[in-house]
């Protein structure tokens, strides 16, 4: 019974949260108030954990809440519940595109969607840059523009940029090297 | 069956290293699925991300479902999606059971500060490659600038934040109204995207 409720609650979250991981947050707070499966503090912890593990906040929260409520099986059920609505919707859209991808209007829609998609990705990049390459707190404290850039990470980013152009290694290799550099330099 | 397993394993690997949100997945998809396996093209990926943005659910999952479906229908979609979920589920189960203060461990914090720098560069490179295929004229350039402005700075300038879904849907409608792709064009043949 608990398992079914877990699936149902996270199914709803998956169905109504549009626009990526953080969009699940308001639903998670609501669920916390209603079910007491996890606390607001748990959500804050999970945001931190999600930043340092692969996987989106919504997925991670589902696994976490499911596990706390009903063990390993609960974790799995809640996560699948969250994933199910988007799975169904995407399948329907994919079917539609199979049939209509040559349609002039669909083609034209993508003519507009692709620049929007890149713009959105670029906006996401700005958000990562704010955390990784800039020190907004130091800048806010001192008001001095010189405190804004984090010098070492920026130098590292420039080196990485050219290294990636030269060496066609897998991104995982660069991610691993960057993690080690982060530990060594105490970034 | 072999293909399904391949799909599952490919997405398991991507799910295991997909730090930094759905868009950070793009360089991984490009390397593994576009360049190495030729399962999809950069054009298609841009489309999937656009749709994944305005449909419910986590973007990374939506994109996994799309690629899985393209490769092997409904079973493929399931294999890719479950593959993508496998490592995050296992990791959180371990963290929830044993490591309550995982995110506060100093070594973890330093490692992820480093990883974030790398994620910046990876995303930037993916953008640069997508750019050539998608920003094809002045109209698309202006559209890019407007959407970027609204998505990145909109909430500072406007009294409200325009939801991403609204931006995406508006861009699609804009394309239908002003796009000049007469026929099917080169979509799907985008081999040069995989370079």
């Amino acid at each position: 019974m608990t398992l079914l409720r877990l699936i149902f609650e996270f199914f709803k979250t998956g169905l109504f949260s549009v626009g990526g991981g953080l969009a699940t947050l308001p639903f998670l707070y609501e669920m916390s108030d209603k079910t007491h499966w996890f606390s607001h503090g748990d959500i804050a912890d999970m945001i931190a954990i999600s930043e340092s593990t692969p996987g989106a906040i919504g997925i991670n929260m589902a696994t976490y809440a499911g596990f706390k409520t009903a063990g390993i099986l609960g974790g799995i059920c809640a996560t699948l519940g969250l994933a199910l609505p988007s799975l169904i919707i995407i399948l329907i859209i994919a079917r539609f595109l199979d049939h209509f991808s040559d349609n002039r209007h669909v083609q034209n829609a993508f003519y507009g969607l692709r620049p929007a998609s890149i713009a959105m990705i670029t906006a996401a990049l700005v958000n990562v840059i704010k955390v990784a390459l800039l020190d907004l707190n130091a800048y806010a404290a001192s008001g001095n523009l010189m405190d804004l850039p984090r010098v070492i990470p920026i130098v590292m980013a420039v080196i990485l940029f050219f290294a990636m152009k030269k060496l066609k290694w897998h991104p995982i290799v660069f991610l691993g090297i960057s993690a080690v550099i982060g530990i060594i330099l105490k970034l | 069956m072999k293909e399904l397993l391949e799909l599952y394993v490919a997405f398991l690997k991507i799910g295991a290293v997909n730090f930094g949100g759905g868009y950070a997945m793009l360089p991984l998809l490009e390397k593994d699925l576009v360049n190495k396996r030729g399962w999809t093209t950069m054009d298609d990926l841009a489309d999937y991300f656009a749709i994944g943005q305005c449909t419910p659910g986590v973007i990374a999952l939506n994109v996994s479902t799309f690629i899985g479906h393209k490769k092997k229908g409904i079973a493929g979609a399931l294999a890719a999606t479950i593959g993508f979920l496998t490592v995050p589920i296992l990791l959180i189960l371990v963290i929830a059971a044993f490591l309550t203060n995982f995110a506060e461990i100093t070594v973890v914090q330093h490692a992820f500060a480093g990883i974030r720098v790398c994620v910046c560069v990876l995303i930037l490179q993916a953008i640069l490659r997508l750019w050539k295929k998608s920003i094809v004229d002045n109209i698309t350039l202006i559209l890019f600038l407007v959407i970027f402005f609204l998505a990145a700075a909109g909430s500072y300038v406007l009294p409200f934040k325009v939801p991403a879904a609204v931006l995406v849907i508006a861009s699609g409608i804009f394309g239908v109204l002003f796009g000049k792709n007469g026929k099917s064009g080169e979509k799907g043949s985008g081999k040069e995207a995989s370079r």
Side-chain angles (χ1 to χ4, degrees), chain A residues 129-157:
Chain A
I129 287 178
K130 272 192 216 159
V131 184
L133 305 184
L134 303 179
D135 195 339
L136 294 175
N137 288 335
Y139 173 61
S142 71
N144 185 349
L145 209 58
M146 293 299 288
D147 286 336
L148 189 57
R150 292 182 202 262
V151 178
I152 296 172
I154 290 175
V155 171
M156 183 179 155

Side-chain angles (χ1 to χ4, degrees), chain A residues 21-42:
Chain A
L22 291 177
T24 50
L25 280 179
F27 295 93
L28 294 175
Y29 282 114
E30 202 185 290
M31 201 190 301
S32 159
D33 294 337
K34 209 173 76 183
T35 65
H36 303 292
W37 284 337
F38 46 88
S39 69
H40 285 200
D42 285 337

Side-chain angles (χ1 to χ4, degrees), chain B residues 60-74:
Chain B
L61 280 183
N62 295 348
V63 174
S64 306
T65 310
F66 257 124
I67 298 172
H69 178 267
K70 185 186 177 189
K71 188 85 186 85
K72 210 84 189 68
I74 293 178

Side-chain angles (χ1 to χ4, degrees), chain B residues 30 42 122 125-133 195:
Chain B
E30 184 189 8
M42 280 306 263
L122 283 170
Q125 299 213 330
I127 292 172
L128 293 177
R129 280 186 294 263
L130 273 175
W131 183 275
K132 285 180 228 152
K133 299 288 293 176
R195 216 173 3 122

Side-chain angles (χ1 to χ4, degrees), chain B residues 92-143:
Chain B
I92 294 298
L93 287 179
V94 171
I95 289 173
F98 303 110
L99 297 165
T100 34
N101 294 323
F102 177 76
E104 275 113 71
I105 303 169
T106 334
V107 176
V108 174
Q109 285 176 342
H110 290 316
F112 282 99
I115 285 178
R116 275 197 292 271
V117 174
C118 190
V119 168
C120 287
V121 181
L122 283 170
I123 297 181
L124 174 65
Q125 299 213 330
I127 292 172
L128 293 177
R129 280 186 294 263
L130 273 175
W131 183 275
K132 285 180 228 152
K133 299 288 293 176
S134 307
I135 312 298
V136 290
D137 50 24
N138 286 336
I139 299 176
T140 39
L141 178 63
I142 291 166
L143 190 59

